[in-house]
Amino acid sequence: MSSALTIRNLTSRPVDLIKYEYNAIAPSLSQGGMTNITHNVTSLFRNFTTPAAPPVAEPATTFIQQDVSIRIEPFASLQTDIKPQKPNETLHLTFETEGEKHRLDTPTLSSRSTTLHPLTENPRFNYTAVHLLEHSHLTLYSSAHLSSWMRSLKDDTPLSALSVPGTHNSPTCHRALPSVRCQATSPPEQLDNGVRFFDIRVQPESPLDPSKDGLILVHGVFPISLTGTKYLRDLLVEVYTFLDRNPSETIIMSLKREGTGEATDAQLSRILRDHYAGDPNRWFTAPRIPYLGEARGKIVLIRRFGLDENLKQEWGGAGWGINAENWADNTPNATCPSGDICVQDFYEVLETVNIEKKIQYSQAHLERAARCVCTLPEQDGVSANQSPKQPFFINFLTASNFWKVGCWPEKIAAKLNPAIVDFLCRKHNGVDGAAPDQVTGDGSTGIVVCDWVGYRGNWDLVRCIVGMNAKLEMRERNA
């Protein structure tokens, strides 16, 4: 038997629960009709960046209604006396923040996350809830417009302090060989739904001819599509279009040389510099982590390749791009020699029983990022010209084994992604029994790199990651 409902407030303002009520679900929904409706509603809303508040199932009869006064402080969890729902019941919760009332109806007819319905005209606040029914646990986040969620953050925010959703082998959404495809949605759809880190692997098409700019998108030694060669140039057009439409945003792009042939890192670096990343209005290529204001409207380059000798002299001899050249392979935790990248990239999940090990490594890296307290120039009295000291925590939730169907990317994501949603909602940056002011760190997730995010319209993982910026936003607001 599940315990009474626990509510966790991961927003920057106190929230008061003022009423709860139970309704009986109509028989047509409680006796098998819910599955079909869930499928249809999920399909209907899959292209929206803000899930709609679902209607209350009709007909329904209120049989318990209780006015209460329960305050949940920012970043606090509180167990209530509200009993778990039965399969034929809906629970309606009314919350109040600074005079505004919002209602949540659960369970929803789509995915687990839903926006609360405002009961006030022109509300200042908007909330998203994730209800983990199996744990009788409800988490509240501030709703973000996922296409432009960075606009609420100040220009002097270190980019490495943010909680950033990312995708692994980002353009691999096409029909491809097993284990090559890693994504359910296209790069433009990922961007519109909050993804801000792209992991890109390329193969120079004509490395011996410096006048040629062809960079083929690959995954390992394989092309990313069985229906024709895909190029970086076309992907960048999509990224530029998004940034032009959303100038508050930035895209962190990790680039690595893979594929077949005898191309070298030095050749790749020259092609990128001469044909792609030479425009400072489009790219941030300094060899340091920028502040958000420096990066808005641009692609921030993380390079997983060595440099041509001439490029080593860029930026006063400091090099070109954020240096992730000596990236540790298959590691649960390692820091690049540059000090700018701390990565979890354990990917050799050879058997399905090892997925649990991958989950543990991923959770541990989330906690490393959460414990950090970033330096805010305006608040902490340092120059905005100084490079942020906090590295990028890059956390790959990805793994595969080509030879075992149960360890293909989509199979691992089906277990790992929900496990991380659960962890973020119930445990991330929290200590059992501790008050919020006793928990150290900004609660950041770092960069969380996912496979098959957005599958069947489910962007819960992205919403949870973006929602973890709330504590940092509160620090900035109080500065």
Side-chain angles (χ1 to χ4, degrees), residues 207-232:
L208 298 179
D209 186 345
S211 68
K212 300 290 181 65
D213 67 356
L215 291 176
I216 301 170
L217 296 171
V218 294
H219 181 180
V221 298
F222 301 107
I224 68 167
S225 173
L226 294 176
T227 59
T229 302
K230 307 298 180 183
Y231 289 92
L232 178 66

Side-chain angles (χ1 to χ4, degrees), residues 96-172:
E96 185 171 24
T97 302
E98 297 183 16
E100 286 187 10
K101 295 179 181 179
H102 299 257
R103 192 182 76 173
L104 170 68
D105 305 324
T106 181
T108 67
L109 299 183
S110 55
S111 60
R112 287 184 297 183
S113 71
T114 185
T115 54
L116 275 65
H117 178 67
L119 304 178
T120 305
E121 291 187 5
N122 303 315
R124 291 180 298 143
F125 311 116
N126 292 284
Y127 297 104
T128 296
V130 178
H131 192 183
L132 303 173
L133 289 168
E134 62 271 32
H135 298 291
S136 193
H137 190 284
L138 179 74
T139 305
L140 293 176
Y141 294 95
S142 295
S143 294
H145 296 284
L146 292 182
S147 62
S148 55
W149 61 264
M150 289 179 165
R151 67 184 176 185
S152 63
L153 293 151
K154 291 186 176 181
D155 282 349
D156 60 1
T157 306
L159 204 56
S160 54
L162 299 185
S163 299
V164 178
T167 49
H168 163 244
N169 279 288
S170 304
T172 59

Side-chain angles (χ1 to χ4, degrees), residues 281-458:
N281 295 313
R282 288 291 194 189
W283 290 77
F284 182 92
T285 59
R288 61 176 178 83
I289 296 171
Y291 291 93
L292 181 55
E294 300 176 284
R296 293 193 197 272
K298 301 177 183 180
I299 298 170
V300 175
L301 175 63
I302 295 178
R303 61 172 179 86
R304 294 180 64 183
F305 54 83
L307 292 176
D308 176 78
E309 287 300 320
N310 289 333
L311 284 177
K312 291 179 182 178
Q313 306 310 312
E314 295 266 333
W315 296 96
W320 187 71
I322 298 171
N323 184 2
E325 178 181 353
N326 296 307
W327 184 290
D329 185 61
N330 195 38
T331 179
N333 177 33
T335 300
C336 292
S338 67
D340 289 331
I341 308 288
C342 182
V343 64
Q344 182 281 122
D345 191 16
F346 173 79
Y347 58 81
E348 287 188 356
V349 176
L350 302 181
E351 300 290 340
T352 54
V353 294
N354 290 334
I355 295 177
E356 184 59 35
K357 180 187 292 186
K358 176 66 178 180
I359 291 172
Q360 293 171 2
Y361 288 156
S362 301
Q363 292 173 348
H365 212 59
L366 287 171
E367 288 301 278
R368 291 184 192 99
R371 289 192 293 267
C372 291
V373 178
C374 79
T375 299
L376 298 175
E378 183 178 318
Q379 188 177 45
D380 298 321
V382 300
S383 170
N385 295 321
Q386 291 180 253
S387 179
K389 301 302 182 185
Q390 182 173 330
F392 280 124
F393 286 86
I394 302 181
N395 194 356
F396 280 81
L397 308 186
T398 61
S400 68
N401 177 3
F402 180 88
W403 305 107
K404 197 171 187 66
V405 174
C407 293
W408 287 356
E410 65 271 28
K411 303 295 185 181
I412 290 178
K415 295 182 178 180
L416 217 149
N417 291 358
I420 297 303
V421 168
D422 184 297
F423 181 82
L424 292 174
C425 288
R426 296 197 299 129
K427 299 178 180 180
H428 183 68
N429 199 222
V431 178
D432 289 342
D437 58 0
Q438 296 176 312
V439 178
T440 60
D442 289 330
S444 171
T445 64
I447 298 171
V448 184
V449 190
C450 315
D451 277 345
W452 286 82
V453 71
Y455 179 59
R456 292 184 176 175
N458 186 342

